[in-house]
Amino acid sequence: MTFTATILTLYPEMFPGPLGLSLAGRALEEGLWSLDTVQIRDFATDRHRTVDDTPAGGGAGMVLKADVLAACIDHARALHPGCPVIAMTPRGKPLTQARVRELSAGHGVTILCGRFEGFDERIFEARGIEEVSIADIVLSGGEPAALMLLDACIRLLPGVMGAPSSGAEESFENGLLEYPHYTRPVEWEGRTIPEVLRSGDHAKIAAWRKQRSEQDTRSRRPDLWERHEGARDQSASGAQREKKDLDQ
Ligand code: SAH
């Protein structure tokens, strides 16, 4: 089954863009995923093919019209009924590797890209649309955010990455940042590769990597570390509870 990416956008020429190269590009050629772009403007109903209007209440910028968006979304849903529709918005739920994994295990994803000030708010509830943000930053449009989301999904599709295990050890997969990497030469500008990585002792190497992964997460991303520790405490107390139940 091919993973289908459907992009609802005012700039279909931006796709596949960088996803036409390298790992994702090869996978696209091999049919491991497919791309469908839909021009939002094709769903405008007036002579000028208007997609936006001034914000109610006044202020700068333009807002994408709910009626045009709805017609476009309904069209995409009819084409790909099994795919969730996700709107890229700075106020959406922050994207996580866990959500990326869920999406890549499905039939595909339909992504709605905003422009200008964004979308008429009524579209989200009216069409049951998930909102996703890629970071606490403001882009000029949803297209680069869609490319990012897709890139993250595509590399997880079966057959896309060389070694199937190489996805499992990456940052965030276990709630932690990945340990640091080194490669030859052993000495470079007076800096050497940590001794343990040259020891050939796989147990020691694994222990060093785990320790570095935890240490780096704690210092670089205290937010991730806290969540990781919370999850660990919870599963530990869950296991204790289960054991108690069994003992009784
Ligand atoms: N007025 C909005 C910003 C609109 S930016 C606000 O202040 O929140 C225009 C479009 O770019 C948005 O509709 C959205 O589709 C996209 N975009 C901008 N930043 C984004 C982000 N961090 N994540 C996902 N999409 C983003």
Side-chain angles (χ1 to χ4, degrees), residues 105-122:
H107 298 286
V109 60
T110 297
I111 307 177
L112 178 59
C113 302
R115 280 274 149 184
F116 323 121
E117 283 306 315
F119 309 97
D120 183 314
E121 182 67 18
R122 294 170 291 184

Side-chain angles (χ1 to χ4, degrees), residues 19-171:
L19 299 180
L21 301 165
S22 186
L23 212 67
R26 222 169 307 133
L28 183 59
E29 268 169 30
E30 288 169 7
L32 297 176
W33 67 286
S34 72
L35 174 70
D36 192 8
T37 54
V38 179
Q39 170 57 270
I40 296 173
R41 200 172 293 282
D42 289 347
F43 297 85
T45 49
D46 66 336
R47 219 159 48 87
H48 302 290
R49 305 216 298 157
T50 310
V51 295
D52 55 345
D53 207 339
T54 53
M62 298 295 275
V63 178
L64 287 166
K65 285 160 61 64
D67 54 344
V68 177
L69 292 170
C72 182
I73 292 163
D74 294 346
H75 165 82
R77 275 221 170 111
L79 284 179
H80 307 289
C83 297
V85 181
I86 294 182
M88 306 312 304
T89 67
R91 34 175 294 194
K93 197 166 171 192
L95 184 61
T96 60
Q97 187 64 15
R99 185 68 185 119
V100 165
R101 235 177 221 287
E102 271 171 18
L103 290 171
S104 67
H107 298 286
V109 60
T110 297
I111 307 177
L112 178 59
C113 302
R115 280 274 149 184
F116 323 121
E117 283 306 315
F119 309 97
D120 183 314
E121 182 67 18
R122 294 170 291 184
I123 195 66
F124 302 122
E125 245 188 64
R127 289 297 181 272
I129 291 170
E130 176 183 347
E131 289 179 69
V132 165
S133 164
I134 53 149
D136 290 345
I137 57 170
V138 180
L139 301 167
S140 55
E143 290 79 7
L147 289 169
M148 227 174 91
L149 169 59
L150 279 183
D151 181 286
C153 290
I154 291 162
R155 62 186 284 285
L156 295 180
L157 298 175
V160 173
M161 263 188 300
S165 66
S166 59
E169 281 206 11
E170 311 277 13
S171 294

